[in-house]
Amino acid sequence: MTELTKLGVAAIRDGVASGAFTAVEVATAFNSNVAKAKALNAFIVETPEKAIEAAQAVDADRAAGKPLGKMAGVPIGMKDLFCTQGVQTTAASHILEGFVPTYESTVSAKLWKAGAGMLGKLNMDQFAMGSSNETSYFGNVISPWRRNDGSNAALAPGGSSGGSSSAIAARLCPAATGTDTGGSIRQPAAFVGISGIKPTYGRCSRWGVVAFASSLDQAGPMARDVRDCAIMLEAMAGFDPKDSTSLDLPVPTWEAGLNRDLKGKRIGIPKEYRLDGIDEDIAKMWDNGIAWLKDAGAEIVDISLPHTQYALPAYYIIAPAEASSNLARYDGVRFGLRDLPEGAGLQDMYAATRAAGFGEEVRRRIMIGTYVLSAGFYDAYYTQAQKVRALIARDFENAWASCDLILAPTAPSAAFGLGEKNADPLSMYLNDVFAVPASLAGLPAMSVPGGLSKDGLPLGLQIIGKALDEQAVLNAGLAIEQRSGFTAEAGEWW
Amino acid sequence: MRGLRLNSVQDLRRKPESGGKMSEYRIQGNTGAWEVVIGLEVHAQITSESKLFSGSSTGFGAEPNSHVSLVDAAMPGMLPVPNRECLRQAVRTGMAINAQINRWSRFDRKNYFYADLPQGYQISQLYHPIVGEGEIEVTLNEKDPDSPTKKIGIERIHVEQDAGKLMHDQHPTMSFVDLNRSGVALMEIVSRPDISSPQEAGAYLKKLRSILRYVGSCDGNMEQGSMRADVNVSVRKPGGELGTRTETKNVNSIRFMMQAIEYEAQRQVDLIENGGAVVQETRLFDPNKMETRSMRSKEDAHDYRYFPDPDLLPVELDDAFLEECRASLPELPDAKRARYEAMGLTAYNAAVLTAEAETAFWFEDLLAQGVDAKQGSNWLMSELFGALNKMGKTLDESPVNPKQAAELLGLVADGTISGSIAKQVFEIMLETGQAASAIVEEKGLKQTNDTGAIESEIAKIMAANEDKVAEYRSGKDKLFGFFVGQTMKAMQGKANPQIINDLLKKALG
């Protein structure tokens, strides 16, 4: 049975369809892995019965000769940011602890309809705010990876989709949903040696996804390889009339369109991403990536994205501004935590509930967001940041005149140890420096494994594409995947 | 960034000339006369089946929290989707006040915490409202054609969500929240501070309500809260610098609004003349005590942290949409009044019949039945209004509908019954709801043209009144009326008056 958990999305789908094994066998195997991996703290809620139920339905459909969905028989992990009907949804916060939605997010509903089953709700940074999964109310997620120095230090799985990355790397699930506001799919994927794609803003519905920063939030798949990401993204994407910002476009057949031949493609290498003092391992991996893409037939061109240095500051104004407003609904009035001290009035209840219900990082960002929107500061911060955002988008537009894709590192370093960076928010925020520009521009971007660091930890290569051109991003990802020879796995210690 | 420019079109219709002058309103203080400066922000609930950003019903008077969707309750992950009908109604309203319609507008979030505001922000339009500058012409007494007129500028109309309602009387220690109104679409219609007396404010609100009802974008029902006004008042020495204003919130009747202005202006004058200063603040009007009182001062004012709602795309209106809005507009009060006058109605009748949408629509229905405009307007103004007045009913509650009335008036017009018989028939119609023709048939009220019968009655009357016949023939013309009356009485009112006249003249010589 252990063999089944070595399989990815495509292999499981094909094996279930061909009758090589049943969906229930697959679900049972992954349920068992989930149950054994408490030490990773990847799940907030485990739902083995949901996984079995969905698998039984797929097996029954197959027996009845009915057509099977894109994800038929594939059990997955669901980031706890997605509202799931009848299953607690907390965004890893105390304020939503015990909240059980009566509704199902559009993305998760699409996955269930495609035949996927739910293994459980994955831990994450609280309200998706964090880059190391250390802000969860339900405790840190531990990466299955360890450095090769024998230190056994617990490492960060990245964030905010750290439960997703850790669970996939530890083979607790073949794939999982992630959400990416400023790198939350790509950076954790890079930290654990898996793939993840943030599609063009508007591809996946935000309906039923607990909002962090509405103009940036975008769901996407995280999986073991590029093909698995393509399959799962097809199941997740699509127009949703319930989300005004959702794109009313047909969903491409990305899996069928996969093509590792990059002849005729021009790959841009942005000089601004080659920071002073860039990590040696990262620089080497990037050079390898360039060589692999050249080998795949692509032409390499140097490009400039001149406003890159302003992306991170702009992001840390826009995202908190939106968050400060989006999180106002957690007020203790209608659902979730309510802290009503003896004799307290309405304002006291708000203060007590929100102080107790939000973690430190969430409170910090609400404060930042409230500040940058307040009278007298709005123009200096929010308006300026929006202008920067427009300039960042224009940088990419200009770059597309000379290239079709951009190759860069996903993160400035390999995974760091838990507790190493959480004392200094700024050094934590710097983790997103390469991820944030594509988020601000709403562009599709993917992380694929690019090699190992000297410490034996995975590193990620990021491919950024033109709006709506996920296919080109996936194809370049595939070309890298087939040349990098990345087969390293975390040894099972949990 | 795409489309950030404000692309607006000027309304194509006539632009009225600048305003005339109405009566001067002054408060006489110890230091002389004071002028009052008033601006109104009217919140009008948009007539629509469902809320501004959700599919919930907007019905009034339902069980608490029975018209609440996941979006209205601001559950996690819920998103607003604009209701196009609400935007359409706002655009039509803008067109009806000759306002600039902004082809590109946007929704902003107004952030504040309150228990009746589930999202923690109200979705509104601060920076780019859907409707820009317009104006409304008002007359102090709309029923008096000679009353002076004035143009009140409209700064903007924007669309926003209503909040829910707190209920403090349900439990000894707790307050309850009813979210039925949460998310209902409102238009905020903001006037320029062009209003200078309580009477003008009243006339403005009446005219605005009439226009909204004509357009069908708001039912104007102030008792149910479909329309309410925030009243900005300041005072100054005539022609002087503008004074500090106060804002009296949520006034829900025209009478209360006029009282609130009167009280507030007087309060400000007294305050200043006694060495005090007006504080910029929000006030409430208490209709029982007929006074305003402070709700919160500027220092306590919220910082609403407005910013563009990232859940929503900008609203872009295309030509076809605007054309449809324009084509769907009804004839508006001023145009209708002019047309009625051209049809031969008196200025007074035309004014009264067009002041309220209900009256105008009723009259239009009557005309549509083929009734002569003058006959119809006279009948409506005297007979129907008189009867409704006596019964204490509104036109909407009239027991006689335009079709039934048209039948009655048709019987008069074609000579089947006389005017006086028509009054009797109408009374029976009001009581029984029977059709006019059925009543005439049943009671035998048809007018007779039987000259033989009339001649025979005339002969009898002349025989019985030989003295009066002699007096008439010797020149006392006034007695002619006596003979008409006697003859009509003898004919039980059913004789054709013209025939009586002709036959009498012949007989009396």
Side-chain angles (χ1 to χ4, degrees), chain B residues 114 193 195 221 229 231 233 290-291 308 335 338 434 451 456 471 487:
Chain B
Y114 204 55
I195 302 167
N221 191 329
V231 189
V233 176
M290 298 245 289
E291 63 180 31
Q434 270 180 293
T451 49
S456 127
E471 278 179 57
T487 311

Side-chain angles (χ1 to χ4, degrees), chain B residues 104-141:
Chain B
W104 193 99
S105 66
R106 201 176 58 186
F107 286 102
D108 301 305
R109 291 186 183 176
K110 177 181 181 179
N111 295 283
Y112 66 96
F113 285 93
Y114 204 55
D116 64 6
L117 189 73
Q119 293 166 143
Y121 54 84
Q122 177 194 34
I123 305 178
S124 181
Q125 299 187 298
L126 175 71
Y127 299 106
H128 299 284
I130 192 161
V131 176
E133 299 238 15
E135 62 186 354
I136 293 180
E137 187 176 86
V138 301
T139 55
L140 261 190
N141 179 358

